[in-house]
């Protein structure tokens, strides 16, 4: 008999969490417009644009209930891929690099038409290192996929995740 009243009292004290990663109020936000992210970097890897755009759209679709539309949306996400660069990292005894770093940078402009204080205009970067004994063409697809996954998570958390 004592258990039921105790459970009823504790029921109101249990915190709730959203496991979809989104902190949106769906009574207010129903639509999002995600535009193309053209490559504006000095080095261009053509498949990168499509890979990044697909991953971003997939993440928004999976982790929110927003409907993606063209124009006049509650939320807008635009941007460009501004960096795609290689840089030597670890140097070996022979003074040659033993690792190379691939860095990708994306600039995102996020507009909240309902609450402009949530607007963001920010660059996000992520990188992966690989052995300099490997050719970039051999590891490029895998590295770009991994980097794009990380960039999309960073962008989602800074915008729709509202952390």
């Amino acid at each position: 008999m004592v258990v039921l009243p105790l459970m009823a009292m504790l029921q109101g004290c249990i915190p709730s969490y959203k496991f979809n990663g989104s902190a949106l109020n769906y009574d207010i936000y129903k639509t999002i417009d995600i535009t193309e992210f053209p490559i504006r970097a000095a080095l261009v890897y053509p498949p990168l644009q499509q890979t990044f755009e697909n991953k971003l759209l997939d993440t928004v679709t999976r982790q929110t209930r927003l409907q993606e539309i063209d124009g006049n949306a509650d939320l807008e996400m635009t941007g460009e891929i501004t960096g795609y660069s290689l840089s030597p990292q670890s140097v070996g005894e022979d003074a040659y690099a033993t690792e190379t770093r691939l860095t990708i940078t994306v600039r995102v402009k996020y507009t909240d038409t309902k609450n402009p204080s949530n607007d963001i205009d920010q660059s996000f970067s992520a990188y992966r290192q690989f052995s300099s004994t490997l050719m970039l063409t051999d590891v490029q697809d895998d590295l770009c996929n991994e980097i794009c996954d990380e960039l999309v998570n960073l962008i989602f958390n800074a915008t729709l995740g509202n952390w």
Side-chain angles (χ1 to χ4, degrees), residues 123-147:
S123 289
F124 299 87
S125 288
Y127 65 88
R128 291 292 183 273
Q129 291 183 189
F130 62 98
S131 173
S132 294
T133 61
L134 299 172
M135 296 292 298
L136 175 62
T137 53
D138 294 336
V139 295
Q140 194 165 218
D141 286 337
D142 290 338
L143 294 175
C144 285
N145 273 311
E146 291 174 19
I147 294 169

Side-chain angles (χ1 to χ4, degrees), residues 21-39:
S22 173
L24 295 170
N25 179 344
Y26 292 105
D27 293 330
I28 298 171
Y29 301 103
K30 296 182 183 348
T31 58
I32 188 167
D33 180 12
I34 301 175
T35 65
E36 290 185 359
F37 280 72
I39 300 174

Side-chain angles (χ1 to χ4, degrees), residues 14-155:
I14 297 172
S16 65
Y17 299 96
K18 295 181 180 179
F19 291 106
N20 66 358
S22 173
L24 295 170
N25 179 344
Y26 292 105
D27 293 330
I28 298 171
Y29 301 103
K30 296 182 183 348
T31 58
I32 188 167
D33 180 12
I34 301 175
T35 65
E36 290 185 359
F37 280 72
I39 300 174
R40 304 269 191 254
L43 288 176
V44 175
Y45 178 55
L48 177 60
Q49 179 179 351
Q50 194 68 46
T51 298
F52 175 78
E53 290 172 357
N54 287 345
K55 287 182 180 288
L56 181 60
L57 191 56
D58 287 349
T59 298
V60 170
T61 302
R62 273 186 289 117
Q63 296 189 24
T64 73
R65 291 184 286 166
L66 295 171
Q67 180 183 357
E68 208 282 329
I69 64 169
D70 290 331
N72 294 335
D74 300 325
L75 302 166
E76 299 169 359
M77 200 176 298
T78 62
E80 58 193 359
I81 299 167
T82 58
Y84 185 87
S85 62
L86 294 167
S87 57
Q89 293 305 299
S90 305
V91 178
E93 293 175 12
D94 57 2
Y96 288 104
T98 57
E99 287 192 315
T100 302
R101 177 179 289 179
L102 173 62
T103 304
I104 299 174
T105 304
V106 177
R107 180 174 171 250
V108 175
K109 184 176 181 191
Y110 173 78
T111 306
D112 182 335
T113 61
K114 308 289 185 183
N115 185 359
S117 67
N118 290 333
D119 291 0
I120 292 174
D121 190 346
Q122 181 179 342
S123 289
F124 299 87
S125 288
Y127 65 88
R128 291 292 183 273
Q129 291 183 189
F130 62 98
S131 173
S132 294
T133 61
L134 299 172
M135 296 292 298
L136 175 62
T137 53
D138 294 336
V139 295
Q140 194 165 218
D141 286 337
D142 290 338
L143 294 175
C144 285
N145 273 311
E146 291 174 19
I147 294 169
C148 284
D149 285 338
E150 183 176 341
L151 286 169
V152 166
N153 284 332
L154 290 169
I155 292 164

